[in-house]
Amino acid sequence: MAGKIRINIKYWIIGTIVLLLCIPIFIIFSHLFGTPTENWYHIYDNLLADYLTNTVIIVLGVSLITLFYGIGAAWCITRFELPFKNTLEWLLILPIAIPTYINGFAYSGLVDYAGPIRVFLRNVVGWDEIYFDIMNIYGVIWVMATVLYPYVFLSARTAFARQAGRLQEAASSLGRSKINSFFSVVLPVARPAIVAGLLLVVMETLNDYGTVKYYGVPTFTTGIFRAWLSLGDLQSAIYLSSMLMSLVFSIILLEKWQRGRAQYESGEKNDATPKQPLSGIKKWLALFMCVLPVLTGLFIPLFQLLYWSYFSWTAVVDAAFMEIIYNSFYLAGFAAIIVAVLAILLNYAVKLVRSQKWENIAKITMLGYSVPGAVIAVGIMIMIIGLDKYLIALLNETFDIKIKLLITGSVFALLYAYLVRYFAVGFGPMEAAFKSLPNSIGEAGRSLGSNPLRNLIRLDVPILSKAMIGTLLLVFVDVMKELPLTLILRPFNFPTLATNAFQYANDEMLTKSAPSSLLIILIGMIPVFLLNRLINTNKK
Amino acid sequence: MKPALEISQLTKTYPNATKPALDQVNLQVEKGEVLALTGESGCGKTTLLRSIAGFESVQSGNIRILGEEVADTKPEQRNVGLVFQDLALFPHMTVEKNIAYGLKKLDKAARKARIEEVLQLTGLSEYTNRYPHELSGGQKQRVALARALAVKPKILLLDEPFSNLDELLRVKVRQEILSILRSSGITTILVTHDAQDAFNMADRIAILKKGELIQVGTPENLFLQPVSPYVARFFGEISLLHGTQTPEGLKTSFGLLAYASDDSEVLLGLRPNAVQPTDTTGPLSGIVTQITFMGAFYEYILQAGHKDTEHLHLFRKQRDYEVGDEVYFTVSSEQVIEFKIKSM
């Protein structure tokens, strides 16, 4: 009997976690067939076309710039002998720590009337009539692309490091020039990896709310916020959400399709083709290709934020600010632990079940990562309001107790939303870690008298502690940066660093928003540093 | 007729390296010849190959291909074919596209004809539309060869061509490749660390050590008259024996050897088949310290005394001795290789 029960527990764990994480997403689809409100006709007739074209233009624009930055820098770093190569290599990754909306604040401040550029032109050069209008769709594209390109850079760098050198040599031994072989062989072979990196860029772009709101460019995410928070029209928010989700899923399918029949990963170790030394103008061009992204995506926004913080930190950093930091750490820490624990349980259960089918079922939980935060917020809200109404009615009827909304507007709802959105961030690395652990370890434990639970606690968890800390850190940072979910679901009067930065910026107090922004960025850089150190030790 | 390849005084030093990777290398390869380039890892054989292909720049010296100096020519303009160690097939192209890649200068009909020709030569006609990952190891090898041969290179370079194949496949693919090379009559330089590859395929073998070319010759020549133990070891087990010349013969740790040398201090190399056990006692003897069953034969290791480090290898079909037995033997002086002490 005991054996039978134990087997059941594994399936129950998988089933429960998968359901928990998918319900908010499925709820959106289930409400798709509700009756449209009057607002919807207004949105449909007057706004939807704008939402769609703006979203598509932003995605295309951001894709173009990130591809240029990411591929260009990755190529120069992997193929050429450059000065400061190692420093540049990780500086090129760091912009990933800057949330798009914070980059948006920094750039808008940089070029406004009181910003350093116009102050310089006015006071030193004497030009007063020069305007840099970036508060438009092109500005949005620029500020998003300059901090999102590292996703493309990372995947392109890996792909190039693996095979670019020897493929190019093979091509030139067959009589092709370097440029010719780059486009006919190197780029096509690296394409699947690059597109996978680009997919992450597109996801982040579609998830953004802070930048487009601040720059006043109507897109699907601002539409969802507006329909719901301004018009109080949940049904329209659902329509918009499901459209945005369809867009996301068709992009994912497109990516799967592009991989096609050819298998590009040769599975070989990194190729040892020596890097080429450059000289003269070529060397400066290659260096420029690597320095430009660092400048526009890291130094310029950081400089602006430091400049503001220098003036405002005495006014901003007080007891209330400490409480905001506490709120952020509390949310991010809690969310990270929940994600890590559930990711371990799910992976361990899958490992014990040893079936491809259940492994695939468990992978459904990664869906949430591709769904924009605003959409998840809508799904969670519907679910929780329903649950609250049910509880009120239940308690009222059965025990004659009258309560208010219990879960709605509580930290619980917010944590649940983080779990849905960021579970994949923890699940992916934990899955890889569990797979790297041979089954024989658990079997040895069993043969020495441990049950599966004791095995998990005494063997798997300690052995995988490094992967676990990595997971905690990644989720922590992602939650810390998260804006749209937090804005919608946070309890009343519960500011976090992200919402604080956004609120100040929206109230045109950019100077005061800078310390919060800076703190988010600095915390976000920690995993990049650690990861870089890990890569370097592995190289040795 | 000009040689297919003529290398003179070729020197290459990597940045930050103290010793040159190639040190004044001179080498000549005749048209249609297959030359194997071998030596221990890090000896410079791959650097030499890559210098011929044009992927390494050299500091000084000349590389002439059919009389034409190419040391400063870009790789894509040298018309030197290269089969990479890991083959470097283009994974996103079919077999046919891979082969066609180097033929962009030909017009459509000529290109098609050439592809057909190479496919025939390499026996790949059935696989034209396959992708590299859909082929077996030996088939991939032939595609890489076909791709390099398609452009009719002046020289073909093969870099460790069989290192990714298992032992059984290796022998088969080696024969296939060799017959393709012979029937196309192309001048070939083959880098390998495997003596069997070199013996089987090469007309001549060149041996490198620490960037220097130390011996070039036919396989028989290198096997029978190696200039140093380094060369000799490449082609099989060899035992080294120090000796002092006396009027009675050569004094060694195993006893007196009937051998006459011009020098007073001598270093001899003995192949296992040079050592012949005798039933009667004699001037040479050793004690069996180790016996290994090698399948077709037994390998015995003989030592002069327990403290002595010098040992001899002896191959026998049967298990004639046990550990601790004393074995008397003779050595035929024709089978002894004498090394000059300074070449050590």
Side-chain angles (χ1 to χ4, degrees):
Chain A
M1 267 320 273
K4 200 175 178 186
I5 288 169
R6 200 161 56 224
I7 288 166
N8 282 341
I9 285 175
K10 295 179 228 165
Y11 297 104
W12 272 104
I13 288 175
I14 300 175
T16 312
I17 295 177
V18 171
L19 270 184
L20 189 71
L21 290 176
C22 293
I23 287 175
I25 299 166
F26 292 140
I27 275 184
I28 303 259
F29 284 120
S30 72
H31 281 65
L32 204 50
F33 305 103
T35 330
T37 57
E38 237 169 72
N39 289 323
W40 175 248
Y41 295 110
H42 163 70
I43 293 171
Y44 187 85
D45 288 337
N46 303 314
L47 301 169
L48 195 60
D50 269 356
Y51 291 165
L52 188 65
T53 39
N54 285 342
T55 304
V56 168
I57 289 173
I58 291 173
V59 165
L60 289 179
V62 171
S63 299
L64 272 180
I65 298 179
T66 52
L67 283 175
F68 175 71
Y69 264 21
I71 294 174
W75 182 250
C76 293
I77 281 283
T78 46
R79 294 304 305 137
F80 302 131
E81 223 30 275
L82 293 176
F84 311 112
K85 186 204 139 265
N86 288 336
T87 314
L88 276 175
E89 193 161 8
W90 65 261
L91 280 179
L92 276 163
I93 309 172
L94 275 186
I96 215 168
I98 303 182
T100 46
Y101 57 92
I102 291 178
N103 199 36
F105 304 156
Y107 267 96
S108 86
L110 194 74
V111 298
D112 77 3
Y113 185 78
I117 292 182
R118 289 193 56 195
V119 168
F120 174 80
L121 290 178
R122 191 163 55 235
N123 296 349
V124 181
V125 187
W127 292 346
D128 200 10
E129 297 301 310
I130 291 199
Y131 298 95
F132 303 95
D133 186 15
I134 65 161
M135 303 300 281
N136 51 40
I137 195 164
Y138 305 107
V140 168
I141 289 172
W142 176 253
V143 300
M144 285 194 184
T146 45
V147 291
L148 290 179
Y149 79 85
Y151 291 108
V152 176
F153 170 74
L154 282 168
S155 52
R157 187 187 62 166
T158 313
F160 290 158
R162 189 164 296 151
Q163 40 197 8
R166 54 189 191 89
L167 286 178
Q168 208 170 31
E169 284 190 350
S172 50
S173 80
L174 294 167
R176 298 287 184 105
S177 72
K178 288 225 170 66
I179 293 179
N180 185 309
S181 64
F182 179 78
F183 287 104
S184 64
V185 177
V186 175
L187 212 51
V189 171
R191 193 193 70 204
I194 291 171
V195 172
L198 185 65
L199 186 68
L200 290 174
V201 171
V202 172
M203 295 294 159
E204 288 291 332
T205 307
L206 290 175
N207 180 48
D208 174 87
Y209 167 71
T211 321
V212 285
K213 174 73 170 64
Y214 186 71
Y215 278 59
V217 177
T219 63
F220 272 107
T221 42
T222 59
I224 293 168
F225 267 76
R226 187 168 171 274
W228 187 7
L229 296 181
S230 306
L231 304 175
D233 182 354
L234 195 56
Q235 191 59 48
S236 297
I238 290 169
Y239 285 142
L240 289 173
S241 296
S242 56
M243 283 180 178
L244 181 52
M245 239 172 13
S246 315
L247 193 63
V248 171
F249 289 152
S250 21
I251 290 171
I252 293 176
L253 287 179
L254 209 65
E255 197 267 339
K256 290 239 185 295
W257 169 80
Q258 63 101 19
R259 294 185 187 200
R261 173 172 157 227
Q263 239 178 30
Y264 291 172
E265 295 298 334
S266 56
E268 302 286 337
K269 50 195 181 301
N270 282 7
D271 77 294
T273 320
K275 294 186 186 203
Q276 295 155 20
L278 289 178
S279 57
I281 184 88
K282 279 185 183 167
K283 181 175 177 177
W284 289 108
L285 272 177
L287 204 57
F288 180 70
M289 190 67 245
C290 297
V291 171
L292 182 68
V294 177
L295 215 58
T296 55
L298 186 69
F299 288 158
I300 288 177
L302 264 190
F303 162 78
Q304 180 64 53
L305 292 170
L306 281 167
Y307 175 78
W308 278 331
S309 299
Y310 175 73
F311 290 109
S312 66
W313 74 274
T314 40
V316 172
V317 179
D318 53 14
F321 189 69
M322 288 302 155
E323 202 179 312
I324 293 172
I325 295 177
Y326 173 79
N327 286 347
S328 271
F329 272 67
Y330 165 78
L331 278 180
F334 230 117
I337 290 168
I338 296 172
V339 167
V341 168
L342 289 186
I344 289 168
L345 277 180
L346 184 58
N347 273 306
Y348 193 62
V350 168
K351 188 184 161 184
L352 291 181
V353 167
R354 280 191 209 178
S355 118
Q356 189 61 45
K357 190 181 83 186
W358 283 89
E359 201 177 316
N360 292 341
I361 290 174
K363 284 215 168 95
I364 302 176
T365 55
M366 298 180 84
L367 203 64
Y369 193 61
S370 54
V371 180
V375 177
I376 290 180
V378 172
I380 298 251
M381 210 61 178
I382 301 170
M383 192 175 153
I384 278 169
I385 291 175
L387 197 64
D388 259 343
K389 278 184 185 158
Y390 174 77
L391 277 177
I392 290 171
L394 184 81
L395 290 174
N396 197 6
E397 278 169 25
T398 340
F399 304 105
D400 202 24
I401 305 170
K402 289 205 189 322
I403 55 158
K404 289 182 184 166
L405 294 174
L406 201 64
I407 313 168
T408 312
S410 73
V411 175
F412 173 79
L414 196 49
L415 287 174
Y416 185 18
Y418 290 145
L419 176 66
V420 172
R421 171 127 174 87
Y422 293 117
F423 187 74
V425 176
F427 181 82
M430 286 313 299
E431 187 192 24
F434 267 101
K435 285 220 164 126
S436 72
L437 206 62
N439 281 328
S440 58
I441 299 233
E443 285 162 0
R446 294 294 285 275
S447 73
L448 294 167
S450 283
N451 64 22
L453 183 64
R454 186 164 178 274
N455 265 354
L456 174 65
I457 297 166
R458 294 290 303 278
L459 299 175
D460 295 76
V461 168
I463 293 172
L464 303 176
S465 58
K466 251 191 194 158
M468 220 153 351
I469 291 168
T471 295
L472 283 172
L473 207 62
L474 285 174
V475 178
F476 185 90
V477 167
D478 266 340
V479 171
M480 184 80 70
K481 288 153 68 172
E482 212 289 333
L483 186 65
L485 266 183
T486 320
L487 274 179
I488 297 183
L489 292 174
R490 73 190 160 128
F492 180 69
N493 218 349
F494 189 86
T496 67
L497 285 172
T499 62
N500 191 48
F502 179 72
Q503 221 80 59
Y504 269 131
N506 248 13
D507 297 341
E508 290 306 327
M509 288 188 280
L510 283 169
T511 322
K512 285 195 167 179
S513 87
S516 302
S517 302
L518 210 53
L519 206 55
I520 294 173
I521 293 172
L522 293 181
I523 293 166
M525 283 179 177
I526 295 171
V528 183
F529 278 114
L530 292 182
L531 220 66
N532 188 62
R533 248 184 60 186
L534 197 75
I535 290 167
N536 282 340
T537 38
N538 282 354
K539 269 185 196 166
K540 285 169 198 163
Chain B
M1 199 171 68
K2 282 174 184 149
L5 176 71
E6 196 179 1
I7 290 172
S8 53
Q9 297 295 309
L10 197 69
T11 300
K12 152 107 196 165
T13 310
Y14 283 107
N16 304 327
T18 47
K19 284 182 178 167
L22 292 176
D23 196 357
Q24 304 193 24
V25 172
N26 294 299
L27 182 66
Q28 199 162 313
V29 184
E30 300 306 325
K31 226 173 161 186
E33 191 180 16
V34 175
L35 179 110
L37 207 55
T38 186
E40 63 193 3
S41 59
C43 69
K45 53 188 191 292
T46 297
T47 305
L48 181 54
L49 196 80
R50 291 172 57 82
S51 303
I52 299 168
F55 296 123
E56 300 286 353
S57 57
V58 290
Q59 273 91 17
S60 62
N62 299 310
I63 303 170
R64 290 194 196 86
I65 294 173
L66 294 172
E68 190 191 337
E69 175 63 52
V70 296
D72 297 314
T73 310
K74 285 181 178 175
E76 60 264 34
Q77 285 152 7
R78 287 194 189 190
N79 201 7
V80 170
L82 179 52
V83 174
F84 290 78
Q85 181 168 8
D86 61 0
L87 306 181
L89 294 178
F90 303 137
H92 62 306
M93 296 180 184
T94 59
V95 169
E96 188 178 0
K97 292 263 166 59
N98 262 285
I99 295 174
Y101 189 81
L103 301 173
K104 63 168 177 159
K105 282 183 190 133
L106 300 185
D107 66 49
K108 215 173 169 186
R111 192 184 311 156
K112 203 156 180 260
R114 181 62 187 152
I115 293 170
E116 200 48 52
E117 206 177 329
V118 182
L119 285 170
Q120 285 287 331
L121 179 70
T122 51
L124 286 166
S125 304
E126 313 165 42
Y127 307 109
T128 44
N129 290 320
R130 297 267 188 99
Y131 281 97
H133 72 273
E134 298 168 327
L135 299 174
S136 73
Q139 290 164 343
K140 281 186 204 167
Q141 203 86 39
R142 281 185 275 151
V143 177
L145 189 65
R147 186 178 72 177
L149 286 175
V151 296
K152 295 188 176 160
K154 293 172 188 155
I155 309 174
L156 180 69
L157 310 175
L158 305 175
D159 187 5
E160 297 277 4
F162 315 114
S163 61
N164 292 325
L165 302 175
D166 63 55
E167 202 47 50
L168 282 173
L169 201 56
R170 191 186 180 99
V171 176
K172 181 168 167 278
V173 174
R174 193 162 61 200
Q175 288 318 315
E176 285 173 3
I177 301 282
L178 183 63
S179 75
I180 294 168
L181 293 178
R182 292 294 181 204
S183 58
S184 64
I186 187 157
T187 312
T188 305
I189 298 177
L190 156 90
V191 159
T192 180
H193 63 270
D194 187 289
Q196 289 307 313
D197 287 350
F199 275 158
N200 270 279
M201 298 185 70
D203 300 315
R204 284 190 306 147
I205 299 172
I207 298 204
L208 279 162
K209 184 186 182 185
K210 291 180 183 163
E212 284 181 70
L213 196 62
I214 54 175
Q215 194 170 9
V216 188
T218 61
E220 294 84 356
N221 181 250
L222 262 63
F223 185 79
L224 297 173
Q225 293 155 345
V227 296
S228 71
Y230 176 84
V231 176
R233 270 204 202 96
F234 246 91
F235 304 106
E237 203 67 71
I238 191 159
S239 310
L240 295 180
L241 204 54
H242 283 273
T244 315
Q245 191 68 52
T246 66
E248 296 83 43
L250 203 63
K251 226 173 108 183
T252 74
S253 51
F254 290 91
L256 205 61
L257 182 68
Y259 186 84
S261 170
D262 300 336
D263 299 331
S264 56
E265 292 295 317
V266 184
L267 178 65
L268 297 183
L270 274 70
R271 299 272 179 211
N273 58 1
V275 179
Q276 286 300 330
T278 53
D279 297 331
T280 55
T281 56
L284 289 166
S285 72
I287 292 162
V288 177
T289 56
Q290 196 182 314
I291 306 166
T292 312
F293 179 53
M294 306 291 281
F297 56 90
Y298 287 88
E299 183 197 58
Y300 298 89
I301 292 179
L302 302 181
Q303 282 198 343
H306 287 295
K307 282 175 190 166
D308 223 322
T309 50
E310 280 190 327
H311 56 261
L312 290 173
H313 292 262
L314 170 66
F315 291 169
R316 299 289 285 170
K317 279 216 174 86
Q318 266 93 41
R319 194 178 173 106
D320 299 325
Y321 313 106
E322 293 303 325
V323 172
D325 287 356
E326 187 172 27
V327 178
Y328 289 92
F329 58 88
T330 59
V331 172
S332 62
S333 57
E334 304 92 74
Q335 299 218 43
V336 168
I337 304 156
E338 181 183 339
F339 300 116
K340 298 290 170 206
I341 295 283
K342 64 173 169 54
S343 69
M344 274 293 285

mmCIF file of all heavy atoms in Angstrom, chain A residues 55 128 140 147 189 197 203 205 300 321 330 338 366 423 464 484 488 509 514:
data_model
loop_
_atom_site.group_PDB
_atom_site.id
_atom_site.type_symbol
_atom_site.label_atom_id
_atom_site.label_comp_id
_atom_site.label_asym_id
_atom_site.label_seq_id
_atom_site.Cartn_x
_atom_site.Cartn_y
_atom_site.Cartn_z
ATOM 1 N N THR A 55 2.677 48.622 -31.597
ATOM 2 C CA THR A 55 3.348 47.440 -31.033
ATOM 3 C C THR A 55 4.245 46.790 -32.073
ATOM 4 O O THR A 55 5.402 46.466 -31.798
ATOM 5 C CB THR A 55 2.296 46.429 -30.529
ATOM 6 O OG1 THR A 55 1.448 47.090 -29.593
ATOM 7 C CG2 THR A 55 2.962 45.258 -29.833
ATOM 8 N N ASP A 128 20.061 77.838 -28.193
ATOM 9 C CA ASP A 128 18.954 77.670 -27.260
ATOM 10 C C ASP A 128 17.763 77.017 -27.926
ATOM 11 O O ASP A 128 16.904 76.454 -27.281
ATOM 12 C CB ASP A 128 18.541 79.043 -26.701
ATOM 13 C CG ASP A 128 17.759 78.872 -25.403
ATOM 14 O OD1 ASP A 128 17.736 77.739 -24.888
ATOM 15 O OD2 ASP A 128 17.187 79.860 -24.938
ATOM 16 N N VAL A 140 11.106 55.379 -27.944
ATOM 17 C CA VAL A 140 10.814 54.110 -27.267
ATOM 18 C C VAL A 140 11.705 53.004 -27.824
ATOM 19 O O VAL A 140 12.333 52.241 -27.080
ATOM 20 C CB VAL A 140 9.322 53.730 -27.440
ATOM 21 C CG1 VAL A 140 9.084 52.300 -27.004
ATOM 22 C CG2 VAL A 140 8.446 54.680 -26.642
ATOM 23 N N VAL A 147 19.162 48.673 -24.149
ATOM 24 C CA VAL A 147 19.407 47.811 -22.987
ATOM 25 C C VAL A 147 18.990 46.353 -23.217
ATOM 26 O O VAL A 147 19.277 45.491 -22.401
ATOM 27 C CB VAL A 147 18.707 48.330 -21.705
ATOM 28 C CG1 VAL A 147 19.364 49.618 -21.249
ATOM 29 C CG2 VAL A 147 17.225 48.500 -21.902
ATOM 30 N N VAL A 189 24.408 29.733 -40.118
ATOM 31 C CA VAL A 189 24.602 28.674 -39.127
ATOM 32 C C VAL A 189 24.254 29.177 -37.727
ATOM 33 O O VAL A 189 23.698 28.452 -36.917
ATOM 34 C CB VAL A 189 26.051 28.141 -39.174
ATOM 35 C CG1 VAL A 189 26.312 27.205 -38.006
ATOM 36 C CG2 VAL A 189 26.289 27.407 -40.479
ATOM 37 N N GLY A 197 17.773 34.295 -29.116
ATOM 38 C CA GLY A 197 18.081 35.485 -28.317
ATOM 39 C C GLY A 197 17.126 36.616 -28.641
ATOM 40 O O GLY A 197 16.632 37.311 -27.753
ATOM 41 N N MET A 203 9.967 39.319 -26.345
ATOM 42 C CA MET A 203 9.154 39.095 -25.148
ATOM 43 C C MET A 203 9.253 40.285 -24.197
ATOM 44 O O MET A 203 8.262 40.764 -23.672
ATOM 45 C CB MET A 203 9.642 37.853 -24.390
ATOM 46 C CG MET A 203 9.477 36.571 -25.144
ATOM 47 S SD MET A 203 7.758 36.199 -25.391
ATOM 48 C CE MET A 203 7.901 35.093 -26.742
ATOM 49 N N THR A 205 10.120 43.274 -24.937
ATOM 50 C CA THR A 205 9.516 44.439 -25.575
ATOM 51 C C THR A 205 7.999 44.438 -25.399
ATOM 52 O O THR A 205 7.398 45.452 -25.064
ATOM 53 C CB THR A 205 9.864 44.456 -27.081
ATOM 54 O OG1 THR A 205 11.279 44.343 -27.217
ATOM 55 C CG2 THR A 205 9.394 45.717 -27.743
ATOM 56 N N ILE A 300 25.857 56.021 -20.488
ATOM 57 C CA ILE A 300 25.019 57.215 -20.592
ATOM 58 C C ILE A 300 23.864 57.185 -19.576
ATOM 59 O O ILE A 300 23.718 58.113 -18.785
ATOM 60 C CB ILE A 300 24.516 57.418 -22.045
ATOM 61 C CG1 ILE A 300 25.694 57.867 -22.905
ATOM 62 C CG2 ILE A 300 23.382 58.419 -22.100
ATOM 63 C CD1 ILE A 300 25.388 58.031 -24.373
ATOM 64 N N PHE A 321 11.914 55.710 2.514
ATOM 65 C CA PHE A 321 12.668 55.057 1.442
ATOM 66 C C PHE A 321 13.167 53.682 1.902
ATOM 67 O O PHE A 321 13.137 52.708 1.157
ATOM 68 C CB PHE A 321 13.840 55.945 1.028
ATOM 69 C CG PHE A 321 14.540 55.468 -0.214
ATOM 70 C CD1 PHE A 321 13.914 55.517 -1.449
ATOM 71 C CD2 PHE A 321 15.835 54.975 -0.153
ATOM 72 C CE1 PHE A 321 14.560 55.088 -2.593
ATOM 73 C CE2 PHE A 321 16.476 54.539 -1.292
ATOM 74 C CZ PHE A 321 15.842 54.589 -2.507
ATOM 75 N N TYR A 330 11.499 42.168 0.462
ATOM 76 C CA TYR A 330 10.559 41.222 1.023
ATOM 77 C C TYR A 330 9.812 40.481 -0.078
ATOM 78 O O TYR A 330 9.753 39.248 -0.118
ATOM 79 C CB TYR A 330 9.610 42.010 1.936
ATOM 80 C CG TYR A 330 8.342 41.339 2.362
ATOM 81 C CD1 TYR A 330 8.343 40.391 3.382
ATOM 82 C CD2 TYR A 330 7.130 41.686 1.766
ATOM 83 C CE1 TYR A 330 7.162 39.801 3.789
ATOM 84 C CE2 TYR A 330 5.955 41.092 2.169
ATOM 85 C CZ TYR A 330 5.969 40.152 3.177
ATOM 86 O OH TYR A 330 4.801 39.560 3.573
ATOM 87 N N ILE A 338 9.719 30.911 -3.033
ATOM 88 C CA ILE A 338 8.580 30.101 -3.494
ATOM 89 C C ILE A 338 8.912 29.443 -4.835
ATOM 90 O O ILE A 338 8.692 28.246 -5.036
ATOM 91 C CB ILE A 338 7.304 30.969 -3.632
ATOM 92 C CG1 ILE A 338 6.890 31.508 -2.264
ATOM 93 C CG2 ILE A 338 6.181 30.155 -4.239
ATOM 94 C CD1 ILE A 338 5.755 32.518 -2.334
ATOM 95 N N MET A 366 6.360 26.655 -17.945
ATOM 96 C CA MET A 366 7.246 27.713 -18.431
ATOM 97 C C MET A 366 6.496 28.722 -19.296
ATOM 98 O O MET A 366 7.044 29.760 -19.671
ATOM 99 C CB MET A 366 8.409 27.102 -19.219
ATOM 100 C CG MET A 366 9.255 26.196 -18.349
ATOM 101 S SD MET A 366 10.639 25.436 -19.215
ATOM 102 C CE MET A 366 11.862 26.729 -19.106
ATOM 103 N N PHE A 423 8.272 31.606 -12.913
ATOM 104 C CA PHE A 423 8.585 30.224 -12.578
ATOM 105 C C PHE A 423 9.634 29.639 -13.533
ATOM 106 O O PHE A 423 10.546 28.925 -13.126
ATOM 107 C CB PHE A 423 7.315 29.365 -12.594
ATOM 108 C CG PHE A 423 7.548 27.969 -12.092
ATOM 109 C CD1 PHE A 423 7.721 27.731 -10.739
ATOM 110 C CD2 PHE A 423 7.620 26.896 -12.959
ATOM 111 C CE1 PHE A 423 7.965 26.462 -10.263
ATOM 112 C CE2 PHE A 423 7.856 25.614 -12.498
ATOM 113 C CZ PHE A 423 8.031 25.399 -11.150
ATOM 114 N N LEU A 464 22.975 20.267 -5.429
ATOM 115 C CA LEU A 464 22.564 21.272 -6.406
ATOM 116 C C LEU A 464 22.490 22.663 -5.803
ATOM 117 O O LEU A 464 21.875 23.560 -6.377
ATOM 118 C CB LEU A 464 21.201 20.891 -6.998
ATOM 119 C CG LEU A 464 21.153 19.512 -7.643
ATOM 120 C CD1 LEU A 464 19.757 19.200 -8.107
ATOM 121 C CD2 LEU A 464 22.122 19.456 -8.818
ATOM 122 N N PRO A 484 4.800 46.247 -14.463
ATOM 123 C CA PRO A 484 3.351 46.219 -14.710
ATOM 124 C C PRO A 484 2.563 45.354 -13.722
ATOM 125 O O PRO A 484 1.533 45.805 -13.205
ATOM 126 C CB PRO A 484 3.225 45.680 -16.140
ATOM 127 C CG PRO A 484 4.562 45.225 -16.555
ATOM 128 C CD PRO A 484 5.564 45.873 -15.665
ATOM 129 N N ILE A 488 -0.320 46.843 -10.906
ATOM 130 C CA ILE A 488 -1.731 46.465 -10.885
ATOM 131 C C ILE A 488 -2.104 45.754 -9.594
ATOM 132 O O ILE A 488 -3.158 46.014 -9.008
ATOM 133 C CB ILE A 488 -2.063 45.559 -12.090
ATOM 134 C CG1 ILE A 488 -1.851 46.320 -13.393
ATOM 135 C CG2 ILE A 488 -3.488 45.051 -12.009
ATOM 136 C CD1 ILE A 488 -2.221 45.549 -14.627
ATOM 137 N N MET A 509 9.089 64.071 -11.661
ATOM 138 C CA MET A 509 10.146 64.318 -10.692
ATOM 139 C C MET A 509 11.259 63.292 -10.910
ATOM 140 O O MET A 509 11.519 62.435 -10.077
ATOM 141 C CB MET A 509 9.592 64.240 -9.270
ATOM 142 C CG MET A 509 8.717 65.431 -8.932
ATOM 143 S SD MET A 509 8.251 65.473 -7.203
ATOM 144 C CE MET A 509 6.922 64.307 -7.173
ATOM 145 N N ALA A 514 15.550 58.866 -9.377
ATOM 146 C CA ALA A 514 16.843 58.265 -9.720
ATOM 147 C C ALA A 514 17.407 57.314 -8.668
ATOM 148 O O ALA A 514 17.901 56.236 -9.024
ATOM 149 C CB ALA A 514 17.855 59.363 -10.047
#
